[in-house]
Structures are given as structure tokens and as C-alpha cells.
Amino acid sequence: MPIPNTTEDPVAHPAALLREMVRIRCVEEELADVYRDEQEMRTPVHFSVGQEAAAVGVCAALRTDDLVYTGHRSHAAYLAKGGDLTGMVAELYGKETGCSNGRGGSVHLTDRSVGFAGSAAILGEMISVATGAAWALAKQGSSQVVVTFFGDGASEEGVFHESLNFAAVHRVPVVYVCENNAYSISSPLSARQPATSAGTGITERARAYGITAERLDGNDVALVHEATRRATAHCRAGLGPYVLELDTYRWREHVGPGFDTGIDRPEPEVEQWLERCPVRRGTAALHASAPDPQERTAHKPTAEELVTRWDAQFRDEARRAVAAAKAAPYPTADRLTDGAYGRQAVAN
């Protein structure tokens, strides 16, 4: 169940934010195990385990009609925006019931009913698409905001700079969300960009275009949520684009269900980031905000008890989605080109 987000400037309760992070974590861990053990999902998969606070914090601050575009690491944002889990899992299996009718796989998810406009595998592609969509909405007089997620590697593409420059000139209502997990596949940020002390980091580059930009702890879901509310308010006020650089870290390999600790990334570094787990931090924050047990008139579950309950619930939900996907039909040969070359439009 997605976090309700129908008001102008949504504020999500800490428990709702934590619940959504737990859901995404459980779903992705279950899918990773099935992907590895059964080898039936014939699509590349890019998991966001460890990065849940970025997607949840951002999407909880959006209205349902706001649009989200992502790159290849798309599952978390899709689910956080309210995308249908059964449709997502079926898409991973290439089934007709998938959210893209089995044509796109993991890296081409879409659910227009909740404002998840699409994802794509080409590095940086959706940065420009989101910019164009936001410009079109602004020219129509809409109050909608467009958000695009991308990684630190995509910030090195020319399309990133071209889009930011265009958005700044035309005051486009787009929020650029860089999930900076410090790696582009196996290349660390330090091998690709000058040191942050040089003043040429991603946030500084955005500010050079005159764009308001913030860099913050991307594993603190409450912090991300508040920053996104500032960003969307800025855009809706007609003040132009906004950039959020969120420092985070993926726990698994760049693509696939495994781990690359000690192979592509040093073990001490990985261990340090595991200690900054967004789910664990969200649990601690919710626990700290709870009333003193002696002041309660009736027993209410603790944060830890809630997480345990949610864990079981969402793992079961993921397993049921897998079972439904396996039972669903593949696209038939006569429909394989639907949606290509205008065939669907002609047929309708």
C-alpha cells in the first residue's frame, strides 16, 4: 500500500516512512533470492537494498499526479511512488500481466496511474525526458512537479549538464535527485571526479547553473523527506529546478543479486555503510519518538515489534507476487509488436 500523497505538500508520519522502507527491503531481498536460485527472470536487475531512504523520502513528499522518472535502478522508486508490486514482478518474468506487458523487464517499469512515468537503462536518458516533461507541464499551467532519479555516474554525462542549463534558463519545475552511492559499476567516485574539496562536486556543479542545490545524508529518510518538500514547494512556486544530492550506498553488486564486497569494493567501506542502514536508523528514530511506556494507557507495539510484523507481511506479499507472475501468461506472438511503430495506436 503506497503512502498517501494527495495533498499539496504531503507530510508522512515516521511510521509510514519506515513501513515503506521495510516493504521495499523485503521485496527486493526476496526477489534477489528467487532470481539467484531459480534463474527464471531473464532480465538484468539493479537492486536498491541499502538505498531505500532516498526513494521513500522523496516519493512520500510528492502528490499522486507528480511524475517520477528513473534510470536502471528503478524498483524502489516505482514501489515508493505506489507502483503495483504484482505488475512489477510479472514484468521481471516477462509476462503479459507485467506493468509494461512483459516488454521491458526490470529497467523499463511504468505505472501511469500513480505518476511513475517510466525508467530506462541508457545512462542519463531520463534526466532529459523528465526535464522536457516538466517544461511541458509548466507551459500548460499545471502545478505538477517532475522528479528524476539518477546515480553519480549519470552526472558525468553531457545530458546532465544540458538538462540543468535548459531547466535553469526556462525555470522548469523539475527536481533532480542524484542517488550518490559513490560508484559507477566498480569505479569509485574518487577515480572519476575531482575531490569534493575542489568545489567541483555534483552539488557545486548544479549551483554553477544558478540552481538551488542541497547535499545531504541520503540514508536519513526524515531528512530526505523534508528536503524534498522544500524542493517541491520551490518548484511549485515557479522558482525553477532544484537538485538534491543524496549520499547513500548500495549493499549488493551493481547488477544482479550477489555481493561484491572484497571484489569491487573494500570490506571495511562496506561494513561502515552497513552500520548506516536506513531501516535500522528509521527504526531507532521511531523508537525514540514513542511515548514513555509508563505513560501509555494501552499497549502499543514498539518500533521493533512493528518492523518484525511488517517483515513477515511483506515477505509473504513478495512471495505471492512471484507465484502470480509464474502463473501468468507470456505475451503471444501476434501481440509482440504491440506498442511498437504505432501499431497499438492504429489498432485502437
Side-chain angles (χ1 to χ4, degrees), residues 23 80 130 141 146 169 171 175 182 187 189 199 209 228 296 339 344:
R23 181 176 186 245
V146 178
V169 170
R171 301 171 78 87
V175 181
S187 298
L189 193 66
Y209 292 105
T228 307
R296 295 176 180 168
Q344 191 68 43

Side-chain angles (χ1 to χ4, degrees), residues 247-258:
D247 290 317
T248 186
Y249 201 80
R250 57 177 168 80
W251 290 10
R252 295 182 182 247
E253 58 190 334
H254 166 68
V255 56

